[in-house]
Amino acid sequence: MSIAVSGVSKLYGQQKALDDVSFQIDKGNIVGFLGPNGAGKSTMMKIISCYIPQTEGTVKVCGYDVMDQSMEVRSRLGYLPENNPLYPEMYVREYLEFMGGIHKIPSIKSRVDEMIEQVGLTLERKKKIGALSKGYKQRVGLAQAMLHDPEVLILDEPTTGLDPNQIVEIRNLIKSIGAEKTVMLSTHIMQEVEAICDRVIIINKGGIVADDESKNLTSNNHAQVIRVEFDHQIEVNKINSIQYVNEVKRVDDNTWLIGSDSEKDIRPFIFEFAVANNLNVLTVQKEEQRLEDVFKKLTSS
Ligand code: ADP
Ligand code: MG
């Protein structure tokens, strides 16, 4: 078990930022921590990374307690904080060597070379951090987090503020890193989770509202919705009578959205219905329910 969070609550003064949060993350997984602004994502990640203490509950990283064994935890964990605070006056190499010194990494120069190559900073390595684009600054942050070759990486909104090309590059980089490490990354963007994560933990108002494989959240949780276009008009009552249909919505004259909570694929029933009613089916299409819809449903309270 790489990360084990059990019954964690966090109070900032009177305000409860986390309320009895529990989850576990296995070694080698890439897990998305998804939630709207203010949900408690950064608070949870700071606690896991030994930056702030929890008010209640326990957190273990690779079996070590974040409160009692923080040195053990820090040596096994890399953390990219939200907004990636860097020193703009420092040169890329200088900064990474400085950070490596904090971790007391042996043969730091060659390790920094390795990291610069891995995160694709070779052409920028002699520049000042302040002169880099946001995407490259983020690479410096990732290199920093991985310098001491930690087993676990905690990345707080690693793609926020990047342009679309940079987002794709950083996502690919995280995916390749995730092949070897346990990665927990926070985001408020659903597509991000769909693009990189095996599993998603959804948090809202300090509490976990869903925890599952990304693919399960988008398939199990939903009623299937079929968009069908007939060649002429038909009354809504008739469509309602199709077997397993729970909800019908008219899109335009001849086009319908037909919803069902059944496990069975209802498309054959729609075809049978069409034949029985002398209708031709012009198009039939299964509407994909996206993580975004699931998220809206789970957090709209
Ligand atoms: P997220 O990262 O999901 O946007 P945060 O963990 O930053 O959420 O914040 C969770 C809640 O805790 C928010 O309501 C926020 O205002 C509050 N909060 C965060 N940090 C502090 C702090 N240092 N002092 C007081 N309240 C805080
Ligand atoms: Mg945050």
Side-chain angles (χ1 to χ4, degrees):
M1 197 63 59
S2 286
I3 302 174
V5 173
S6 172
V8 166
S9 296
K10 173 70 185 177
L11 285 168
Y12 290 114
Q14 298 286 337
Q15 194 195 350
K16 206 161 209 179
L18 294 174
D19 187 7
D20 195 16
V21 170
S22 301
F23 60 85
Q24 300 194 330
I25 298 179
D26 290 334
K27 200 171 170 175
N29 277 8
I30 303 188
V31 174
F33 199 40
L34 178 66
N37 286 327
K41 302 182 296 295
S42 296
T43 300
M44 190 69 248
M45 294 182 130
K46 283 177 197 164
I47 292 171
I48 295 171
S49 307
C50 307
Y51 272 76
I52 57 171
Q54 68 270 35
T55 314
E56 270 178 66
T58 55
V59 177
K60 288 188 175 177
V61 175
C62 305
Y64 297 98
D65 189 281
V66 294
M67 296 262 234
D68 303 337
Q69 297 163 298
S70 69
M71 292 311 285
E72 299 289 349
V73 171
R74 282 169 203 264
S75 69
R76 288 166 178 82
L77 177 141
Y79 173 48
L80 178 65
E82 194 170 27
N83 306 320
N84 187 13
L86 294 167
Y87 301 98
E89 285 306 312
M90 285 181 109
Y91 292 92
V92 172
R93 283 207 62 102
E94 183 191 11
Y95 170 73
L96 291 173
E97 285 176 16
F98 168 70
M99 294 307 285
I102 293 176
H103 284 293
K104 302 195 173 62
I105 293 168
S107 49
I108 182 66
K109 283 195 190 306
S110 61
R111 179 64 185 158
V112 166
D113 284 336
E114 248 174 66
M115 289 324 302
I116 282 177
E117 199 188 320
Q118 191 182 344
V119 303
L121 273 170
T122 307
L123 294 174
E124 318 289 321
R125 68 188 186 282
K126 292 186 177 149
K127 291 188 180 167
K128 271 192 177 176
I129 289 172
L132 299 179
S133 70
K134 259 204 114 162
Y136 279 101
K137 282 187 185 141
Q138 212 59 348
R139 289 168 195 252
V140 176
L142 282 169
Q144 168 275 122
M146 295 194 298
L147 266 179
H148 55 305
D149 196 20
E151 228 179 283
V152 177
L153 274 176
I154 305 288
L155 311 176
D156 196 353
E157 308 233 9
T159 62
T160 297
L162 302 184
D163 72 33
N165 288 331
Q166 295 168 341
I167 287 178
V168 172
E169 288 166 16
I170 295 295
R171 280 182 188 165
N172 287 338
L173 186 55
I174 293 171
K175 262 200 219 168
S176 70
I177 294 166
E180 289 169 20
K181 298 187 184 301
T182 306
V183 179
M184 178 180 186
L185 72 95
S186 72
T187 175
H188 56 271
I189 310 162
M190 349 294 147
Q191 290 86 339
E192 186 126 292
V193 171
E194 291 183 307
I196 24 187
C197 302
D198 315 310
R199 179 173 143 213
V200 55
I201 298 173
I202 303 182
I203 182 169
N204 191 39
K205 295 179 184 160
I208 307 272
V209 292
D211 179 352
D212 208 338
E213 288 177 45
S214 327
K215 64 174 194 297
N216 287 348
L217 277 176
T218 49
S219 58
N220 287 353
N221 222 341
H222 89 81
Q224 57 182 312
V225 177
I226 308 293
R227 174 187 288 263
V228 54
E229 185 186 0
F230 298 118
D231 64 340
H232 58 263
Q233 292 200 27
I234 178 113
E235 288 160 40
V236 64
N237 293 346
K238 290 205 168 156
I239 296 187
N240 261 319
S241 70
I242 301 172
Q243 210 175 351
Y244 301 115
V245 166
N246 297 98
E247 203 189 342
V248 174
K249 214 163 94 187
R250 192 173 213 142
V251 181
D252 60 37
D253 281 354
N254 303 337
T255 309
W256 300 84
L257 286 175
I258 302 178
S260 169
D261 290 330
S262 172
E263 297 271 297
K264 278 201 173 113
D265 187 348
I266 60 165
R267 284 173 293 188
F269 300 103
I270 295 174
F271 280 109
E272 274 173 31
F273 164 83
V275 171
N277 288 275
N278 279 324
L279 289 162
N280 286 310
V281 175
L282 301 181
T283 58
V284 58
Q285 196 181 356
K286 204 164 188 172
E287 303 269 295
E288 286 283 326
Q289 193 189 22
R290 298 175 58 82
L291 203 48
E292 191 152 358
D293 305 320
V294 175
F295 181 76
K296 271 193 201 133
K297 207 154 68 183
L298 289 168
T299 59
S300 65
S301 61

